[in-house]
Amino acid sequence: MNLSAPTQLIFIISLVIAIIGLLAALGVFAFIPLASVWIVLIAYIVLAGGCLVRGA
């Protein structure tokens, strides 16, 4: 299995999701029904998927 660096788009998408999770943990986004841990986990999965899939 070869790992590759994620594209800039995948990195920015995962960064935005992680920031939303952080803001949800701080209570800024109280209307989001998911726990902030799950939101940050989704960001990590997106980033890991970008590293595993070449050209994504």
Side-chain angles (χ1 to χ4, degrees):
M1 173 168 52
N2 293 330
L3 296 177
S4 62
T7 61
Q8 187 174 8
L9 178 65
I10 295 294
F11 180 76
I12 290 173
I13 289 171
S14 67
L15 183 66
V16 167
I17 295 171
I19 289 172
I20 290 171
L22 178 67
L23 291 175
L26 296 174
V28 176
F29 292 138
F31 57 88
I32 297 178
L34 288 174
S36 59
V37 173
W38 295 113
I39 297 172
V40 174
L41 181 68
I42 291 169
Y44 181 75
I45 290 171
V46 168
L47 185 61
C51 290
L52 291 174
V53 177
R54 182 171 299 219

